[in-house]
Amino acid sequence: MTGAPGELVLAERRGQVLLVTFNRPAKLNAWTDELEDRYVAVLDAAEDDPDVRAVVVTGAGRGFCAGADLQRLQAVGEVSEAGRAGRRPRDLPRTLRKPLIGAVNGVAAGLGMVEALYCDLRFGSPSARFTTAFAQRGLIAEYGISWLLPRLVGHSRAADLLLSSRMVDAEEAFRIGLLDHLVPTGSVVDAAVAYAADLAERCSPASMATIKSQLSNDADGTYADSVTRAEGLMLQAFRGSDVVEGVASHLDKRPPDFPSLPVRSSDVPV
C-alpha cells in the first residue's frame, strides 16, 4: 500500500486492480479539499498506468465517506466562485476510462453518497448506509446527484431520498438499486476486488472504455441515435485487434491477452 501513515488516500495494487481507500477513519472519511486532491491524483495515475485495469474505492474504518467535513463546512460562506474556479470538476471520477467500483463499507452521506454514485457500480456490506443529507444542512442537491439518482432509483424515490434526507440501510439500498451487489458475509472489499480482477482478466480494456462512454453519451439520447452510434463503433471494433483476440481465445479455450489502454495524449481533457 502506498502512502505515509497519515496519507488521506491510500493506494494498493492487487494484481491488475488498484484498491483506493479514503483514509480519515476517525472522521468517517469526511471529505476535504486535500483528500479530494489526493484522490484525483491517484485516479489520474491509475488512468495512465497500463498495469491497472480496474479501480476499487472504499473507506477506512467504519465508513465509506461521511460527506463534507462539517468543521470546514462552517466556513463555506467565505468561499468565492473564484476560489473554486481553479479546481478540477468534482465529477472527474466519472471520466475514468477504466471500471470504477465502489465498496461501500459503512455510511455514505451527502458528498460521500455522490462519490459512491460516481462509481460504475457498487458493492455493499450489511453496514452500508446512504443519506443525501443536503436538505437537512440547508443545501441543495449537489454535484449532479439530481441527475444520477433518478436514473438509478426512479424519480419519486429520488425525490423521497433528496427531500427527506432519510437514512437508507443496506437491504433497502440493494432493493431500490443504490447497491448492485450486497455482500452478506465476508469482506465487501475482497468481493469488489474479486469482481474487478475478473473484469481485468477477461474483458478488453478498450471495449470497457467504449461501453462506459456509450452508457454516458446515450443516457439522454434516443434509441435510434444509440443504434447509429453503435454501428460506427462496431465497425471500429471489427478493425481492431481485440476482436481477433477475443474470438481466438474463446475458440482456443484460454484466457484472452488484450492490450492495455493507450496513455492519454496531452491534448485529451482529463
Side-chain angles (χ1 to χ4, degrees):
M1 184 172 292
T2 61
E7 188 69 80
L8 294 173
V9 178
L10 305 177
E12 176 188 356
R13 281 287 302 279
R14 295 195 181 182
Q16 293 180 301
V17 177
L18 183 70
L19 174 61
V20 180
T21 305
F22 302 140
N23 190 38
R24 297 186 74 209
K27 296 286 189 178
L28 293 177
N29 306 309
W31 200 264
T32 65
D33 285 347
E34 295 80 7
L35 185 150
E36 179 181 324
D37 289 342
R38 171 62 179 159
Y39 182 42
V40 167
V42 168
L43 293 184
D44 264 350
E47 176 71 78
D48 286 330
D49 186 340
D51 295 325
V52 172
R53 296 204 169 184
V55 179
V56 172
V57 60
T58 191
R62 298 181 297 109
F64 179 79
C65 175
D69 189 312
L70 292 182
Q71 295 298 320
R72 304 196 181 194
L73 196 62
Q74 287 181 319
V76 73
E78 303 168 12
V79 177
S80 67
E81 285 198 28
R84 289 293 304 176
R87 301 189 64 80
R88 293 189 180 195
R90 183 156 271 146
D91 64 351
L92 184 138
R94 295 190 69 238
T95 70
L96 189 71
R97 293 179 297 169
K98 302 172 183 182
L100 179 62
I101 299 164
V104 184
N105 55 310
V107 67
L111 179 53
M113 180 171 173
V114 174
E115 290 297 331
L117 298 189
Y118 285 161
C119 295
D120 296 306
L121 60 144
R122 286 152 297 282
F123 283 67
S125 71
S127 59
R129 294 178 295 151
F130 294 86
T131 173
T132 60
F134 300 122
Q136 292 182 354
R137 304 289 180 265
L139 297 168
I140 52 86
E142 297 179 337
Y143 306 117
I145 194 173
S146 58
W147 187 93
L148 293 164
L149 194 56
R151 284 162 172 77
L152 287 173
V153 303
H155 179 90
S156 60
R157 280 193 177 126
D160 166 31
L161 300 184
L162 286 165
L163 294 175
S164 71
S165 296
R166 67 181 181 84
M167 190 70 72
V168 176
D169 65 20
E171 289 190 3
E172 182 181 4
F174 178 62
R175 177 172 57 81
I176 67 177
L178 287 176
L179 289 175
D180 303 285
H181 300 269
L182 182 58
V183 184
T185 59
S187 166
V188 66
V189 169
D190 288 347
V193 168
Y195 178 93
D198 187 63
L199 297 183
E201 180 181 351
R202 297 173 53 189
C203 299
S204 158
S207 292
M208 291 191 291
T210 300
I211 289 168
K212 285 190 60 167
S213 176
Q214 288 178 276
L215 287 169
S216 177
N217 293 335
D218 292 351
D220 291 320
T222 66
Y223 171 76
D225 289 341
S226 177
V227 169
T228 300
R229 281 191 290 266
E231 287 176 349
L233 292 169
M234 187 163 55
L235 289 175
Q236 293 179 29
F238 282 149
R239 298 189 187 107
S241 61
D242 282 21
V243 168
V244 175
E245 173 60 15
V247 173
S249 61
H250 177 73
L251 294 176
D252 295 344
K253 297 181 171 57
R254 60 172 173 80
D257 184 19
F258 293 120
S260 300
L261 286 173
V263 174
R264 297 165 299 177
S265 62
S266 59
D267 59 347
V268 174
V270 296

